Amino acid sequence: MSIEAGTLFVVAAPSGAGKSTLVNALLEREPAISLSVSHTTRPPRPGEQYGRHYYFVERAEFEREIAEGIFLEHAEVHGNLYGTSRDKVGTLLAQGRDVLLEIDWQGTQQIRASKPDCVSVFILPPSRVELERRLRGRGSDAPEVIERRLANSRGEIAHAHEFDYIIVNDRFEAALDELQAIVRAVRLRSSLQCRRHEALIAELLA
Ligand SMILES: Nc1ncnc2c1ncn2[C@@H]1O[C@H](COP(=O)(O)OP(=O)(O)OP(=O)(O)O)[C@@H](O)[C@H]1O
Ligand SMILES: Nc1nc2c(ncn2[C@@H]2O[C@H](COP(=O)(O)O)[C@@H](O)[C@H]2O)c(=O)[nH]1
């Protein structure tokens, strides 16, 4: 590991809880964080761009990439395959950049196994009624896709306690403040910061 290694943040949530909206707002406040762009076999939604929202690939290509070992983690979620490129994340962390992954609980378990220093956050909706309202209100998915995601949400929420932090995304600005507070607190105890403090303490004690 590089001496200047950055922090790996992982954010997960049931579909529709507001994870992407929160993460995008966080990146505006904290532009030094790099968002990892995942690979997926899900078809693009209207307006989604290759390389910006996802690397959209066919299932056969994704399976070839799994066999080649290019993924740091990968999982099947709501009937589609999703994965995080090992090289891109590794290079950014080694350069001292903080990296954020927006992935599901299965991927988070894999990341935790290989990178135990990662900081994981689970976003909860304030209620099931509100989760459904957000999923339908987003207008991005077919009714049967929404039904499937709502049904899967129970199994996803059952893993919330495995995460370092849980945020309830009820009032958006309050949830965003909490997410930013986590990032800032983690940075204050980063290895780089600790070395600076050690140097100052040594100087003050000399
Ligand atoms: N606190 C909030 N209050 C009301 N609406 C919200 C709030 N947070 C997000 N939303 C809205 O809820 C919808 C779903 O949000 P978003 O797309 O960010 O969910 P997601 O968790 O990333 O879902 P997916 O996993 O499917 O990508 C969006 O229309 C978003 O504007
Ligand atoms: N394990 C992974 N899960 C991922 C990754 N990228 C996204 N996701 C999760 O999939 C669902 C659905 O996303 P959507 O864009 O189709 O709405 C959501 O929970 C994402 O967090 C990944 O690389 N690995």
Side-chain angles (χ1 to χ4, degrees), residues 136-157:
R136 296 197 190 282
R138 184 168 70 179
S140 59
D141 298 304
E144 63 275 15
V145 172
I146 292 176
E147 291 306 329
R148 181 173 197 169
R149 288 177 177 234
L150 282 172
N152 289 344
S153 67
R154 288 180 193 280
E156 296 176 307
I157 290 167

Short mmCIF file of all heavy atoms in Angstrom, two decimals, residues 136-157:
data_model
loop_
_atom_site.label_atom_id
_atom_site.label_comp_id
_atom_site.label_asym_id
_atom_site.label_seq_id
_atom_site.Cartn_x
_atom_site.Cartn_y
_atom_site.Cartn_z
N ARG A 136 -41.26 5.34 -7.53
CA ARG A 136 -42.24 5.62 -8.59
C ARG A 136 -42.07 7.05 -9.10
O ARG A 136 -42.14 7.30 -10.30
CB ARG A 136 -43.67 5.40 -8.08
CG ARG A 136 -43.95 3.96 -7.70
CD ARG A 136 -45.43 3.62 -7.60
NE ARG A 136 -45.60 2.31 -7.01
CZ ARG A 136 -45.43 1.15 -7.63
NH1 ARG A 136 -45.09 1.12 -8.90
NH2 ARG A 136 -45.58 0.00 -7.00
N GLY A 137 -41.80 7.97 -8.18
CA GLY A 137 -41.68 9.39 -8.55
C GLY A 137 -40.47 9.65 -9.45
O GLY A 137 -40.50 10.56 -10.26
N ARG A 138 -39.43 8.83 -9.31
CA ARG A 138 -38.22 9.01 -10.13
C ARG A 138 -38.54 8.80 -11.60
O ARG A 138 -37.93 9.42 -12.47
CB ARG A 138 -37.13 8.05 -9.65
CG ARG A 138 -35.82 8.22 -10.35
CD ARG A 138 -34.72 7.46 -9.64
NE ARG A 138 -34.89 6.01 -9.79
CZ ARG A 138 -34.05 5.11 -9.29
NH1 ARG A 138 -33.00 5.50 -8.60
NH2 ARG A 138 -34.27 3.81 -9.46
N GLY A 139 -39.50 7.91 -11.86
CA GLY A 139 -39.97 7.72 -13.23
C GLY A 139 -38.93 7.11 -14.17
O GLY A 139 -39.03 7.26 -15.39
N SER A 140 -37.94 6.41 -13.61
CA SER A 140 -36.87 5.89 -14.48
C SER A 140 -37.02 4.41 -14.79
O SER A 140 -36.33 3.88 -15.65
CB SER A 140 -35.51 6.14 -13.82
OG SER A 140 -35.47 5.51 -12.56
N ASP A 141 -37.91 3.72 -14.07
CA ASP A 141 -37.98 2.26 -14.23
C ASP A 141 -39.41 1.82 -14.55
O ASP A 141 -40.38 2.45 -14.11
CB ASP A 141 -37.52 1.57 -12.95
CG ASP A 141 -36.06 1.87 -12.62
OD1 ASP A 141 -35.20 1.63 -13.48
OD2 ASP A 141 -35.80 2.41 -11.53
N ALA A 142 -39.52 0.70 -15.26
CA ALA A 142 -40.83 0.12 -15.58
C ALA A 142 -41.49 -0.38 -14.29
O ALA A 142 -40.78 -0.71 -13.33
CB ALA A 142 -40.65 -1.04 -16.56
N PRO A 143 -42.85 -0.45 -14.27
CA PRO A 143 -43.55 -0.88 -13.04
C PRO A 143 -43.04 -2.21 -12.51
O PRO A 143 -42.88 -2.38 -11.29
CB PRO A 143 -45.01 -0.97 -13.48
CG PRO A 143 -45.12 -0.04 -14.64
CD PRO A 143 -43.79 -0.05 -15.32
N GLU A 144 -42.75 -3.19 -13.40
CA GLU A 144 -42.30 -4.51 -12.90
C GLU A 144 -40.89 -4.42 -12.30
O GLU A 144 -40.56 -5.15 -11.36
CB GLU A 144 -42.38 -5.59 -13.99
CG GLU A 144 -41.51 -5.38 -15.21
CD GLU A 144 -42.16 -4.48 -16.28
OE1 GLU A 144 -43.15 -3.77 -15.97
OE2 GLU A 144 -41.65 -4.48 -17.42
N VAL A 145 -40.08 -3.51 -12.81
CA VAL A 145 -38.74 -3.30 -12.25
C VAL A 145 -38.86 -2.69 -10.85
O VAL A 145 -38.18 -3.08 -9.91
CB VAL A 145 -37.88 -2.40 -13.19
CG1 VAL A 145 -36.56 -2.02 -12.53
CG2 VAL A 145 -37.66 -3.09 -14.53
N ILE A 146 -39.78 -1.74 -10.72
CA ILE A 146 -40.01 -1.10 -9.41
C ILE A 146 -40.50 -2.14 -8.40
O ILE A 146 -40.02 -2.18 -7.25
CB ILE A 146 -41.01 0.07 -9.55
CG1 ILE A 146 -40.36 1.21 -10.35
CG2 ILE A 146 -41.47 0.57 -8.18
CD1 ILE A 146 -41.25 2.39 -10.65
N GLU A 147 -41.42 -3.00 -8.82
CA GLU A 147 -41.94 -4.05 -7.92
C GLU A 147 -40.80 -4.94 -7.44
O GLU A 147 -40.69 -5.28 -6.27
CB GLU A 147 -43.00 -4.92 -8.64
CG GLU A 147 -44.30 -4.21 -8.94
CD GLU A 147 -44.94 -3.57 -7.72
OE1 GLU A 147 -44.77 -4.08 -6.60
OE2 GLU A 147 -45.60 -2.51 -7.88
N ARG A 148 -39.93 -5.32 -8.37
CA ARG A 148 -38.81 -6.20 -8.03
C ARG A 148 -37.88 -5.52 -7.04
O ARG A 148 -37.43 -6.11 -6.06
CB ARG A 148 -38.05 -6.55 -9.32
CG ARG A 148 -36.89 -7.47 -9.08
CD ARG A 148 -36.27 -7.92 -10.39
NE ARG A 148 -35.44 -9.09 -10.15
CZ ARG A 148 -34.93 -9.85 -11.08
NH1 ARG A 148 -35.16 -9.59 -12.34
NH2 ARG A 148 -34.17 -10.87 -10.78
N ARG A 149 -37.60 -4.24 -7.27
CA ARG A 149 -36.68 -3.49 -6.39
C ARG A 149 -37.29 -3.31 -4.99
O ARG A 149 -36.59 -3.41 -3.99
CB ARG A 149 -36.31 -2.15 -7.03
CG ARG A 149 -35.37 -2.36 -8.21
CD ARG A 149 -35.01 -1.10 -8.95
NE ARG A 149 -34.06 -1.41 -10.02
CZ ARG A 149 -32.89 -0.83 -10.20
NH1 ARG A 149 -32.51 0.14 -9.42
NH2 ARG A 149 -32.09 -1.21 -11.18
N LEU A 150 -38.61 -3.05 -4.96
CA LEU A 150 -39.27 -2.92 -3.65
C LEU A 150 -39.23 -4.24 -2.90
O LEU A 150 -38.95 -4.28 -1.69
CB LEU A 150 -40.73 -2.48 -3.84
CG LEU A 150 -40.95 -1.00 -4.14
CD1 LEU A 150 -42.40 -0.74 -4.51
CD2 LEU A 150 -40.53 -0.14 -2.93
N ALA A 151 -39.47 -5.33 -3.62
CA ALA A 151 -39.45 -6.66 -2.97
C ALA A 151 -38.04 -6.96 -2.45
O ALA A 151 -37.87 -7.49 -1.34
CB ALA A 151 -39.89 -7.72 -3.96
N ASN A 152 -37.01 -6.60 -3.23
CA ASN A 152 -35.62 -6.88 -2.82
C ASN A 152 -35.17 -6.00 -1.66
O ASN A 152 -34.19 -6.31 -0.98
CB ASN A 152 -34.67 -6.66 -4.00
CG ASN A 152 -34.81 -7.74 -5.06
OD1 ASN A 152 -35.40 -8.79 -4.81
ND2 ASN A 152 -34.28 -7.48 -6.25
N SER A 153 -35.88 -4.87 -1.44
CA SER A 153 -35.40 -3.91 -0.44
C SER A 153 -35.35 -4.51 0.97
O SER A 153 -34.48 -4.17 1.76
CB SER A 153 -36.24 -2.63 -0.46
OG SER A 153 -37.56 -2.91 -0.02
N ARG A 154 -36.27 -5.44 1.27
CA ARG A 154 -36.26 -6.05 2.61
C ARG A 154 -34.94 -6.79 2.85
O ARG A 154 -34.31 -6.63 3.90
CB ARG A 154 -37.42 -7.03 2.78
CG ARG A 154 -38.75 -6.35 2.91
CD ARG A 154 -39.87 -7.37 3.08
NE ARG A 154 -41.15 -6.73 2.88
CZ ARG A 154 -41.76 -6.00 3.80
NH1 ARG A 154 -41.23 -5.85 4.98
NH2 ARG A 154 -42.92 -5.42 3.54
N GLY A 155 -34.55 -7.60 1.87
CA GLY A 155 -33.31 -8.37 1.99
C GLY A 155 -32.10 -7.45 2.10
O GLY A 155 -31.12 -7.77 2.79
N GLU A 156 -32.15 -6.29 1.43
CA GLU A 156 -31.02 -5.35 1.49
C GLU A 156 -30.95 -4.67 2.85
O GLU A 156 -29.89 -4.58 3.47
CB GLU A 156 -31.16 -4.33 0.35
CG GLU A 156 -31.09 -4.97 -1.01
CD GLU A 156 -31.34 -3.98 -2.15
OE1 GLU A 156 -32.37 -3.29 -2.13
OE2 GLU A 156 -30.49 -3.90 -3.04
N ILE A 157 -32.13 -4.22 3.33
CA ILE A 157 -32.18 -3.50 4.61
C ILE A 157 -31.73 -4.41 5.76
O ILE A 157 -31.15 -3.95 6.75
CB ILE A 157 -33.60 -2.92 4.83
CG1 ILE A 157 -33.84 -1.77 3.84
CG2 ILE A 157 -33.80 -2.44 6.27
CD1 ILE A 157 -35.27 -1.31 3.73
#
